[in-house]
Structures are given as C-alpha cells and as structure tokens.
C-alpha cells in the first residue's frame, strides 16, 4: 500500500505503553473530528489496522491499541484521518514507555507481543512490532577474553532436558555450518557459552532449541524493554582470539531487528 502524499502539517501524537503490552495514542486535533481514525500501515505490505479516535479532552483525540489486537511483526507507520480528509502522517509527542521496561509477559498464550513506538530518521511516528511464538529473551551478556556467556528466559514453551543452543552461520561466513552449544536450564531460565575460537570470520546468529532437535528453533532477541533499536545503544567490546582460521576479533551485537548475533572479523591492520 502506497501512503498518500500530503502537504498538510503532520499531527502530533503522545504515546503511553501499558504493562500488558498495549499502546494509547493521544492526538492533538481541532475543528471537525467526526469519524476520526488512527491508521497503522505496515511497510512493504498491504496490511492496515484502523483504530477509532474518540474525544478525550479539548483538542485531544484518543485511540487504544490493546495487546489483544493482532499486529504482525514489522514496522507500522502511523497516520490520522479526521473529518473524512486525507490521512496525515503522525509525529511523536510525549512518549511514556516506562511500563514496558518492567514488563514480564506470562507467555501463557504461547507467544510474546511487543510494540514500541519510535521516531524515524524523518521525525515521523512508527510502531515497531514483534510477535514471537515462542520467544527466547536475551538477558545478561558476560564477555570473557575468548568467549561470550549468555543468560536468558524462554516464553511460550518449556525447556526440555535436550534443550541446546545453536550458532548458525549466515551465507558467506567462512566454512558455514552450525555449532551446537550445551545449555544449562533452570525452569524457564537458560544459559550457555559461545567459544570464539571455533568460529570462522563472518556473522553467526544465535538460536535456541528448547525441545531439542524435534522442536522449534527460536531466535534469541532482546525485546522486553522500551528501546526500539538496540544496535546503537547496546555496544560491546570485542575480543581478539586465535582460531584455526587465524587471529580474529569477535563480539556480540544486536541486529536491526534486535536479534542477537556474533560478528567475527579479521583484525584491523
């Protein structure tokens, strides 16, 4: 779906997150606001979610996106349509996402839904949505001189005695392949260590196999906070180690989708 073009000034929206994972949008609007709607349009797709904008105070309209409303994973650009006019792009106002930073989903529905509003590079309002079933949440990362220790928690499934982690090489990574890693499990909590000295240069993605080989493969990610883009916020030092492929520098990082990966490169000259 191609967003409409308009020369009208964007409308400002305040966003508040709740502990259940829902969002409330308060839009500043004046004049005739009959049949007003807040529209969320997923990029590179035809999906659209419309939410009624109801009067909340003088010059304010409110729309609620409860956690029970399905929002497939992706980036959703926010618009408001008032008085049957053309949809207008929303820009962020005051954002209060403190409840997201302390949220602990039950996982009883078999999935974890996360929605984080953020400002794009152009200053517009967009909602980043994740829907993981099940979900492996990355917690503490401990960096050693030649290894990475990862702790986390799984939601929407259980950890079987056969549970293990996997390092999967992205295309173009050295000899490629998959490295299996032993997991220490305690109920829903897990931990494992990534030895750098086994890795060829390239990028290695981290996965959890909660039920072992027969079960699902779950991508490790850090989603349960109020940071939409972890990559520039969570940065980690790199370790220099000797491998069968020669000396390398290795360290963890979060991808653009907040998934956890390990980057292995040849040392800088």
């Amino acid at each position: 779906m191609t967003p409409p073009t308009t020369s009208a000034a964007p409308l400002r929206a305040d966003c508040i997150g709740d502990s259940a994972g829902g969002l409330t949008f308060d839009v500043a609007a004046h004049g005739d606001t009959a049949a007003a709607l807040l529209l969320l349009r997923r990029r590179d797709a035809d999906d659209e979610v419309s939410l009624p904008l109801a009067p909340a105070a003088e010059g304010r309209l409110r729309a609620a996106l409860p956690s029970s409303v399905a929002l497939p994973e992706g980036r959703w650009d926010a618009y408001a349509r008032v008085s049957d006019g053309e949809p207008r792009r929303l820009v962020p106002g005051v954002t209060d996402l403190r409840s997201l930073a302390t949220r602990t989903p039950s996982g009883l529905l078999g999935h974890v839904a996360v929605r984080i509003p953020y400002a794009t590079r152009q200053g517009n309002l967009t909602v980043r949505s994740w829907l993981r079933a099940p979900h492996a949440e990355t917690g503490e990362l401990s960096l050693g001189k030649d290894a990475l220790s990862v702790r986390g928690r799984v939601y929407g499934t259980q950890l079987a005695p056969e549970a293990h982690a996997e390092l999967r090489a992205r295309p173009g990574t050295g000899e490629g392949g998959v490295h299996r890693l032993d997991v220490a499990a305690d109920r829903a909590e897990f931990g494992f260590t990534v030895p750098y000295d086994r890795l060829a240069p390239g990028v290695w993605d981290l996965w959890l196999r909660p039920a072992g080989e027969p079960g699902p493969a779950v991508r490790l990610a850090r989603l349960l906070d109020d940071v939409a883009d972890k990559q520039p916020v969570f940065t980690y030092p790199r370790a220099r180690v000797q491998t069968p492929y020669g000396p390398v520098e290795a360290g963890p990082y979060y991808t653009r989708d907040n998934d956890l990966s390990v980057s292995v490169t040849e040392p800088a000259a």
Side-chain angles (χ1 to χ4, degrees):
M1 179 178 296
T2 302
T5 58
T6 175
S7 58
L11 298 174
R12 190 168 301 278
D14 298 338
C15 296
I16 300 176
D18 63 45
S19 59
L23 292 174
T24 300
F25 303 85
D26 278 7
V27 178
H30 300 277
D32 183 5
T33 57
L37 292 174
L38 186 139
L39 306 174
L40 296 173
R41 291 176 172 172
R42 187 157 63 132
R43 292 184 194 172
D44 305 319
D46 291 330
D47 299 350
E48 180 176 277
V49 173
S50 351
L51 304 170
L53 277 165
E58 182 65 29
R60 308 287 292 179
L61 299 173
R62 178 170 296 169
L65 177 66
S67 57
S68 57
V69 172
L71 200 66
E73 189 157 327
R75 297 177 189 271
W76 295 76
D77 296 327
Y79 298 81
R81 185 172 65 200
V82 296
S83 307
D84 296 324
E86 288 293 323
R88 296 164 61 185
R89 196 70 166 92
L90 290 172
V91 299
V94 177
T95 302
D96 184 354
L97 304 178
R98 288 173 294 179
S99 63
L100 299 185
T102 58
R103 179 185 173 213
T104 304
S106 67
L108 295 177
L109 298 178
H111 68 263
V112 168
V114 178
R115 296 89 176 265
I116 304 178
Y118 70 97
T120 68
R121 292 180 181 177
Q122 295 74 33
N124 296 317
L125 176 63
T126 293
V127 176
R128 180 63 171 96
S129 173
W130 289 268
L131 190 62
R132 300 287 172 95
H135 170 54
E137 175 75 5
T138 300
E140 179 184 358
L141 300 182
S142 299
L143 281 70
K145 63 179 182 179
D146 56 4
L148 166 70
S149 294
V150 180
R151 296 198 60 81
R153 182 180 181 88
V154 68
Y155 296 88
T157 189
Q158 296 181 339
L159 292 167
E162 301 79 20
H164 63 271
E166 291 179 348
L167 273 173
R168 297 184 180 182
R170 286 196 203 165
T173 296
E175 297 180 0
V178 176
H179 290 298
R180 175 170 170 162
L181 306 172
D182 293 335
V183 164
D186 181 9
R187 299 183 180 179
E189 307 285 337
F190 62 84
F192 60 89
T193 298
V194 179
Y196 293 146
D197 59 6
R198 299 166 54 185
L199 304 181
V203 177
W204 297 83
D205 296 328
L206 285 161
W207 295 76
L208 182 70
R209 303 296 295 266
E213 291 294 341
V218 184
R219 189 73 165 94
L220 266 76
R222 181 166 181 160
L223 307 180
L224 299 177
D225 56 27
D226 58 351
V227 181
D229 185 2
K230 306 292 189 297
Q231 197 171 85
V233 178
F234 295 91
T235 59
Y236 302 94
R238 299 172 64 76
R240 179 171 291 203
V241 297
Q242 187 67 38
T243 75
Y245 313 96
V248 301
E249 292 181 348
Y253 77 98
Y254 285 102
T255 71
R256 190 168 178 265
D257 293 320
N258 292 351
D259 298 323
L260 182 62
S261 297
V262 171
S263 167
V264 181
T265 60
E266 296 179 358

